[in-house]
Amino acid sequence: MNDLHENQVLLLKLLDEHIDTPLTIRQIQEILNFSSSSMVAHHIQKLEQKGYLKRNPHNPRDYQIFINPERPIVYLNLYGHAQCGKNGSILDGNPIDKIPIASRLLKFPANEGFIVTAKGNSMEPLIKEGDLVIAHKKNEASNGDNIVCVYGEKVIIKTFFKQNDTITLSSLNSKSHSPIIIVDDYFKIEGVVKNVIKYS
């Protein structure tokens, strides 16, 4: 932590101590006796830039602390095509390449991420054929999440919905692709889509 200002060290320690009960900017300012809330925001931004802190852009009080900061560039495993339609391919667990990604683009640890190349048009306009889809490895999802999943022996990207015991996988391009109702075939969530790198 030699690259941190003394105030950033104090701030990082405080954030770590309260990770289960996140503090507001005003509370942090009062506890650390900082002169202003903008000073708190400044040091938080510096911690993010230096790789010690990652915040959820949709919820600033949802964050992760990295005592050993991630490198500015990390490498995520790239797997084979994930079909955005009915005829997916098998995600066999063998990466075909490693793709360099700026770690600041990820809101989760790099070792929990992977990439698949989209194929098909069922998730247009969000995801088009050839796009690189960055997913956070997870085995469960919330309603409305776009997921990379295995259904039967096929890997697909769909929008997840669950009501009672019924799981439905929907396409954003609903005019061309009907929803899939999970029945007896094998189904497993591989990850939740977090970023899309456009092919063109």
Side-chain angles (χ1 to χ4, degrees), residues 2 18-19 32-33 63-64 70 73 89 91-92 101 107 148 157 171 193 200:
N2 293 334
H18 290 270
I19 197 164
L32 295 181
N33 198 28
Y63 58 84
Q64 293 176 312
E70 291 189 320
I73 301 296
S89 59
L91 185 63
D92 59 10
I101 299 292
K107 301 306 176 184
V148 178
I157 302 173
S171 301
V193 175
S200 60

Side-chain angles (χ1 to χ4, degrees), residues 4 33 38 49 111 117 131 141:
L4 295 183
N33 198 28
S38 61
Q49 290 174 351
N111 62 0
T117 305
D131 288 350

Side-chain angles (χ1 to χ4, degrees), residues 29-49:
Q29 178 190 346
E30 292 174 354
I31 293 171
L32 295 181
N33 198 28
F34 283 180
S35 59
S36 66
S37 58
S38 61
M39 184 178 179
V40 177
H42 168 76
H43 286 303
I44 285 176
Q45 184 180 39
K46 290 298 181 182
L47 288 173
E48 288 185 287
Q49 290 174 351

Side-chain angles (χ1 to χ4, degrees), residues 48 78 95 157 160 176 178 187 189 193:
E48 288 185 287
L78 171 67
I157 302 173
F160 175 88
S176 303
S178 300
F187 170 73
I189 297 173
V193 175

Side-chain angles (χ1 to χ4, degrees), residues 10 12 21 31 33 35-36 41 54 56 58 68-69 81-82 113 117 120 131 135 149 152 154 162-163 184 187 191 193:
L10 293 173
L12 190 65
T21 54
I31 293 171
N33 198 28
S35 59
S36 66
K54 282 187 179 179
N56 181 340
H58 306 294
N68 297 311
H81 286 285
T117 305
D131 288 350
C149 63
K154 304 185 184 303
K162 183 175 182 179
Q163 185 173 18
D184 295 331
F187 170 73
V193 175

Side-chain angles (χ1 to χ4, degrees), residues 29-190:
Q29 178 190 346
E30 292 174 354
I31 293 171
L32 295 181
N33 198 28
F34 283 180
S35 59
S36 66
S37 58
S38 61
M39 184 178 179
V40 177
H42 168 76
H43 286 303
I44 285 176
Q45 184 180 39
K46 290 298 181 182
L47 288 173
E48 288 185 287
Q49 290 174 351
K50 294 175 181 180
Y52 289 93
L53 175 69
K54 282 187 179 179
R55 290 188 299 166
N56 181 340
H58 306 294
N59 181 4
R61 296 176 71 182
D62 175 16
Y63 58 84
Q64 293 176 312
I65 299 292
F66 296 90
I67 301 304
N68 297 311
E70 291 189 320
R71 292 170 295 177
I73 301 296
V74 294
Y75 290 82
L76 298 187
N77 287 336
L78 171 67
Y79 294 89
H81 286 285
Q83 177 77 32
C84 295
K86 294 183 179 180
N87 300 314
S89 59
I90 297 173
L91 185 63
D92 59 10
N94 297 318
I96 59 176
D97 202 352
K98 289 184 179 290
I99 304 296
I101 299 292
S103 61
R104 61 183 173 78
L105 296 179
L106 305 177
K107 301 306 176 184
F108 52 86
N111 62 0
E112 296 178 10
F114 67 95
I115 299 176
V116 291
T117 305
K119 188 177 181 181
N121 67 355
S122 76
M123 295 300 283
E124 290 185 355
L126 178 65
I127 302 171
K128 298 182 179 181
E129 181 155 359
D131 288 350
L132 295 179
V133 177
I134 299 175
H136 185 186
K137 293 177 185 176
K138 288 188 174 182
N139 296 130
E140 53 186 38
S142 300
N143 283 344
D145 283 344
N146 294 319
I147 62 170
V148 178
C149 63
V150 177
Y151 180 51
E153 294 185 345
K154 304 185 184 303
V155 177
I156 54 178
I157 302 173
K158 294 292 179 184
T159 303
F160 175 88
F161 292 99
K162 183 175 182 179
Q163 185 173 18
N164 299 323
D165 293 328
T166 301
I167 294 175
T168 303
L169 304 177
S170 298
S171 301
L172 296 180
N173 184 4
S174 57
K175 292 182 179 180
S176 303
H177 300 269
S178 300
I180 299 171
I181 306 297
I182 301 299
V183 285
D184 295 331
D185 285 340
Y186 175 75
F187 170 73
K188 179 186 177 184
I189 297 173
E190 297 283 1

